[in-house]
Amino acid sequence: MNPRVLSGIQPTSDSFHIGNHLGALQNWVSMQSEFECFYFIADLHAITVEQDPAQLNQRTLLAYAQLVALGVDPKKSVLFVQSQVPEHAQLMWVMSCITGIGEANRMTQFKDKAAKGGSSSASVGLLTYPILQAADILLYQADAVPVGEDQRQHLELTRDLATRFNGRFGDTFTLPKPHIVKATAKIQDLQDPTAKMSKSSPSGCINLLDPLKTTEKKIKSAVTDSDSVVAFDPANKAGVSNLLTILSAYTGNTVDELVDSFAGRMYGDLKKETAGAVLAFAEPFQTTVNELLSDKAQLQRDMNIGAEQAREVASQTLAAVYAKIGFNAS
Ligand code: TYM
């Protein structure tokens, strides 16, 4: 049997951004040929912060369409919506009972998100979010989890919890490894290239579904530096290096080849070529997404099939877990 892969993405925006795409989703697509893949839209995670119900519903559909348009093929992979597979929440409860409060408190994403919203208003769900993520992964006995750098700590917690459970109750879970591709593991914000690109900073974030003119404008106003030499040096030339990383990812040229090609040329040329490469990807992507969204009933049917396939695997793991911890099976 092929090794298993699992990953998820939150439906918390009207578009995936190129950090999602280059850091994680392009690897989801390429891993389909070698692995048995389970990919899902993490709508349970999306309600850890306040959300609008109609918008969540719409964004979930949109996330599904975007994943298919990027090349996640529901015939090759199991593609599903998390809330349609109740085993995620069920296993999460079990895992939360072997997680220390201090352990959950140490998660840096929780600290960041709680600080942004004011820590007194942070929900218990936001605190326990990484335990749900561990349950997501362990349910499918995943060997590898393709994600960006920001998810590394959650993967470490997942491994710790799996090891603890296996130690207490006997071998049950596969220990998953993060699959993080260094070159694109952290795409930076265009306006503050020392920070990770994220939807919370709209002017520094390139959304795949943004109007093409907006994307072009954002790239052309990307922050660079007062030097004028195009060189790859993330520590000292974060903005230029980020643009080179993006250009390399969307053209297939290596960063070294690109640096050579920009010898004696200006930052304006780098921005122009980067914008051209991103738009060449975004334009046909947008067309495919719109085509898929024109038949929402079909998308919903495909989602239902994905959920059934996921449940076949998830229910087996949950049954094994319940038996191990001593719940009376029927
Ligand atoms: P999410 O929805 O925030 O992001 C989806 C994926 O995109 C990656 N990513 C980036 N990669 C590189 N550069 C960036 N600037 C950048 N921004 C985001 C993320 O690392 C992620 O891989 N907790 C997860 C969702 C999740 C999950 C899981 C992932 C829930 N359960 C189980 C893996 C396995 C999250 O919020 O990702």
Side-chain angles (χ1 to χ4, degrees), residues 6-12 16-25 28 40-42 45 82 88 109 113 129-130 132-137 145-152 154-155 158 184-189 195-199:
L6 171 127
S7 199
I9 185 161
Q10 293 195 64
T12 42
F16 294 155
H17 57 69
I18 65 166
N20 299 135
H21 179 219
L22 302 180
L25 303 177
W28 292 22
F40 69 97
I41 296 158
H45 284 91
Q82 189 185 26
H88 289 249
Q109 275 216 338
K113 286 193 186 176
Y129 167 122
L132 177 59
Q133 183 161 350
D136 299 336
I137 298 168
V145 184
V147 284
E149 183 58 44
D150 60 346
Q151 299 299 315
R152 191 183 288 280
H154 294 163
L155 266 291
T158 304
T184 49
K186 195 171 173 214
I187 300 298
Q188 307 291 58
D189 186 290
K196 177 188 80 164
M197 180 178 286
S198 96
K199 67 174 168 47

Side-chain angles (χ1 to χ4, degrees), residues 179-193:
H179 177 90
I180 298 175
V181 178
K182 197 163 169 260
T184 49
K186 195 171 173 214
I187 300 298
Q188 307 291 58
D189 186 290
L190 296 184
Q191 287 303 313
D192 174 7

Side-chain angles (χ1 to χ4, degrees), residues 12 19 62 77 79 82 121 123 141 145 222 273 305 311-312 322 329:
T12 42
L62 192 54
S77 300
L79 178 59
Q82 189 185 26
S121 66
S123 68
Q141 308 288 8
V145 184
E273 283 193 26
I305 293 171
R311 287 200 76 181
E312 278 175 29
Y322 274 16

Side-chain angles (χ1 to χ4, degrees), residues 29-261:
V29 174
S30 66
M31 290 174 100
Q32 291 180 114
S33 50
E34 271 176 77
F35 299 93
E36 190 190 351
C37 298
F38 292 81
Y39 296 129
F40 69 97
I41 296 158
D43 58 346
L44 295 178
H45 284 91
I47 65 164
T48 53
V49 290
E50 229 176 285
Q51 42 75 39
D52 174 75
Q55 196 177 48
L56 176 63
N57 196 282
Q58 173 58 24
R59 286 176 169 179
T60 301
L61 214 59
L62 192 54
Y64 189 94
Q66 288 180 89
L67 290 174
V68 174
L70 286 173
V72 176
D73 181 350
K75 293 203 172 66
K76 288 190 196 156
S77 300
V78 177
L79 178 59
F80 63 99
V81 176
Q82 189 185 26
S83 63
Q84 285 191 277
V85 182
E87 286 81 1
H88 289 249
Q90 290 174 290
L91 181 61
M92 188 253 181
W93 175 252
V94 174
M95 301 317 283
S96 70
C97 294
I98 64 162
T99 309
I101 293 176
E103 214 169 14
N105 265 323
R106 277 196 294 279
M107 296 291 116
T108 51
Q109 275 216 338
F110 168 70
K111 287 193 216 164
D112 292 349
K113 286 193 186 176
K116 270 185 200 150
S119 54
S120 57
S121 66
S123 68
V124 173
L126 194 60
L127 176 65
T128 54
Y129 167 122
I131 310 172
L132 177 59
Q133 183 161 350
D136 299 336
I137 298 168
L138 299 175
L139 263 183
Y140 299 90
Q141 308 288 8
D143 299 281
V145 184
V147 284
E149 183 58 44
D150 60 346
Q151 299 299 315
R152 191 183 288 280
Q153 199 187 28
H154 294 163
L155 266 291
E156 279 161 15
L157 176 73
T158 304
R159 288 175 63 87
D160 287 348
L161 296 181
T163 307
R164 190 170 307 154
F165 189 96
N166 288 348
R168 274 191 209 168
F169 301 105
D171 240 8
T172 309
F173 294 124
T174 303
L175 290 196
K177 288 200 181 74
H179 177 90
I180 298 175
V181 178
K182 197 163 169 260
T184 49
K186 195 171 173 214
I187 300 298
Q188 307 291 58
D189 186 290
L190 296 184
Q191 287 303 313
D192 174 7
T194 61
K196 177 188 80 164
M197 180 178 286
S198 96
K199 67 174 168 47
S200 57
S201 158
S203 57
C205 181
I206 305 175
N207 293 309
L208 287 172
L209 293 177
D210 268 351
L212 301 177
K213 280 263 165 262
T214 308
T215 295
E216 194 175 2
K217 234 170 144 180
K218 284 185 189 174
I219 296 176
K220 291 203 168 152
S221 31
V223 167
T224 49
D225 52 55
S226 53
D227 189 22
S228 60
V229 181
V230 176
F232 189 76
D233 178 359
N236 299 305
K237 296 172 76 71
V240 168
S241 303
N242 193 36
L243 291 173
L244 283 167
T245 299
I246 296 168
L247 181 56
S248 165
Y250 282 111
T251 56
N253 296 316
T254 66
V255 166
D256 285 346
E257 284 167 351
L258 292 173
V259 168
D260 286 347
S261 78

